[in-house]
Amino acid sequence: MCSGWPSQFALTFLIAWAGFSPHEGGHLSFGYVTTLLLLDAAVLIGMIFWFIHRHGEKPRDVFLGNRPIRHEIWIGIPMTAVVFALALVVLSTAQRLVPSLHNVPENPLQQLIASRGQAIVFVLVATIAGGLREEIQRAFIIHRFEQHLGGAWVGLVLYSLVFGAGHALQGWDAVVTTTMLGLFWGYVYVSRRSIVAPAVSHSGFNAAEIFQYFMLK
């Protein structure tokens, strides 16, 4: 239910039923993609908090643990550079060793960003739908695996594979890279029991990518 696949399929169907097309001028529609990402973030976060409440747990215990939030933020900021370096190494290594993995010449999301205003809006959307929602989602799934489904490390590996597969639109090399990033962020959560540092570094990484795409146009 909280993997991201059921909610996105359902929302895609509902948005299409309402008459909105995912494409505009032969490319992905900026309005469609941003709307879908924000709606999916709202639905998933709502479901996760509802499940936590139904289980008699507190969101703070699951997502923040006992660590001071400010301290975790200061850990997450420099971690952004570590994540960016990791992504660069994994992506370049994958393309060098298995060139066929680079099956998408240009990231389709890059085509969405045509102006500075769109880049800023997309950074905000990526912060909510990426940095926040995906780290809440990752922590919740790892937490549930730890309780009922074979352990936190099983959940970390399986969900990282799902997380990577969700980026198949961007190419198989992106799948490999995001799988490794998912493993890294999940490891930080398992080690620290707080999503703050992963969420900060995830948001920073997404913002850097988006502005990089904009500058390359």
Side-chain angles (χ1 to χ4, degrees):
M1 287 292 292
C2 296
S3 66
W5 295 89
S7 56
Q8 286 206 7
F9 277 125
L11 287 170
T12 300
F13 174 79
L14 288 174
I15 293 174
W17 178 77
F20 294 98
S21 172
H23 295 94
E24 184 179 7
H27 300 294
L28 285 172
S29 166
F30 180 83
Y32 178 93
V33 171
T34 53
T35 300
L36 176 61
L37 290 175
L38 289 175
L39 285 176
D40 186 49
V43 169
L44 268 174
I45 292 174
M47 281 197 304
I48 288 170
F49 274 67
W50 184 76
F51 285 134
I52 289 173
H53 173 73
R54 292 284 295 175
H55 206 257
E57 298 174 297
K58 295 180 180 179
R60 180 179 180 85
D61 294 337
V62 178
F63 302 121
L64 302 178
N66 298 319
R67 296 183 182 272
I69 293 176
R70 182 178 298 180
H71 179 66
E72 292 301 297
I73 290 174
W74 283 111
I75 290 176
I77 292 173
M79 192 182 292
T80 303
V82 175
V83 169
F84 206 84
L86 175 63
L88 186 63
V89 170
V90 173
L91 184 63
S92 59
T93 302
Q95 292 178 353
R96 181 181 296 272
L97 296 180
V98 190
S100 59
L101 290 175
H102 187 57
N103 62 319
V104 177
E106 183 180 5
N107 189 332
L109 297 181
Q110 186 174 347
Q111 302 169 0
L112 295 174
I113 308 168
S115 67
R116 182 178 300 176
Q118 287 183 330
I120 293 172
V121 170
F122 209 64
V123 165
L124 296 175
V125 172
T127 298
I128 296 170
L132 181 62
R133 186 266 283 180
E134 288 178 353
E135 295 311 318
I136 288 176
Q137 183 182 16
R138 190 187 327 277
F140 174 71
I141 289 174
I142 290 173
H143 178 65
R144 281 291 183 264
F145 264 89
E146 185 175 43
Q147 291 177 317
H148 307 293
L149 299 169
W153 297 108
V154 175
L156 170 59
V157 172
L158 291 179
Y159 181 65
S160 297
L161 293 172
V162 172
F163 178 68
H167 294 77
L169 181 69
Q170 301 173 44
W172 289 112
D173 48 357
V175 169
V176 174
T177 304
T178 50
T179 297
M180 295 304 296
L181 293 181
L183 285 168
F184 176 79
W185 284 316
Y187 173 78
V188 174
Y189 169 75
V190 172
S191 301
R192 305 188 66 79
R193 298 295 167 168
S194 171
I195 68 165
V196 176
V200 169
S201 63
H202 195 158
S203 297
F205 173 76
N206 286 351
E209 270 203 315
I210 290 166
F211 280 118
Q212 181 187 37
Y213 292 155
F214 177 70
M215 295 302 294
L216 290 175
K217 279 187 170 292

